[in-house]
Amino acid sequence: MTLSALIKKGGLGSFATATPATVATDAHDSISSVASVASVAVATPPELPPDEEQRIRAWLDYIEEDDRDAIAEVLEKCRRDRDARRYFLERAEEVASSVATVATVAVATPRWVTCGDCAHYRRTDHPHLGHCAAGEPENVAGLWDSDRRVCGRYKE
């Protein structure tokens, strides 16, 4: 029965499966290479622009994600899925907006530091409390030396 006849009878109203014909040959006298038998297309994943990757990595650092497999999975997902990329870039934007600025230049990648390791940290009488000589915001009691924070004025 022809395709037009099936259409006229309503025979294509339900799902149909089509199987392409397979060509069989008996020629064994020559050996063909894969290149002459088939063309192979290798799909490369779309690129993630370096600035976007840097912002996503900064966010992962901000949430203290240090598992290499998890980081690779997030970056690969961002390469393949635009919605995932948009989600992680929005998270990264939240981090960037909370990062301090120094001399009107925004710190692009936040760096987690502890105040006790900074040259600007001045200890008080308490063994773990001190103040920032560079003027970073702090609590009334001061800064705890082992607390991790993002600081635009950190100096080793």
Side-chain angles (χ1 to χ4, degrees):
M1 184 173 277
T2 65
L3 183 59
S4 62
L6 280 172
I7 292 171
K8 287 178 185 172
K9 286 181 153 185
L12 295 180
S14 61
F15 292 103
T17 303
T19 305
T22 305
V23 178
T25 61
D26 289 332
H28 294 291
D29 54 340
S30 66
I31 298 174
S32 300
S33 69
V34 173
S36 66
V37 174
S39 62
V40 178
V42 178
T44 57
E47 290 296 317
L48 184 61
D51 64 315
E52 290 182 1
E53 181 175 340
Q54 181 182 12
R55 293 187 340 227
I56 292 169
R57 283 182 182 274
W59 177 75
L60 290 167
D61 186 49
Y62 177 78
I63 64 167
E64 298 183 16
E65 179 60 68
D66 58 359
D67 180 13
R68 290 179 186 220
D69 293 335
I71 293 169
E73 184 179 344
V74 166
L75 294 174
E76 183 60 31
K77 183 133 178 102
C78 289
R79 286 184 187 96
R80 288 183 279 113
D81 185 349
R82 288 184 183 202
D83 291 333
R85 182 186 298 190
R86 184 176 2 193
Y87 171 82
F88 288 112
L89 287 172
E90 286 173 4
R91 302 293 76 73
E93 189 63 35
E94 293 170 7
V95 173
S97 65
S98 69
V99 174
T101 58
V102 179
T104 69
V105 177
V107 176
T109 305
R111 181 175 175 197
W112 285 92
V113 296
T114 56
C115 293
D117 296 332
C118 180
H120 297 299
Y121 186 73
R122 303 292 180 257
R123 285 196 191 280
T124 61
D125 302 358
H126 190 280
H128 296 288
L129 285 176
H131 298 283
C132 179
E136 280 294 302
E138 58 186 60
N139 295 324
V140 176
L143 299 166
W144 196 260
D145 61 358
S146 62
D147 279 350
R148 288 175 41 112
R149 62 186 277 165
V150 176
C151 182
R153 297 184 176 145
Y154 177 82
K155 184 176 177 184
E156 291 187 40

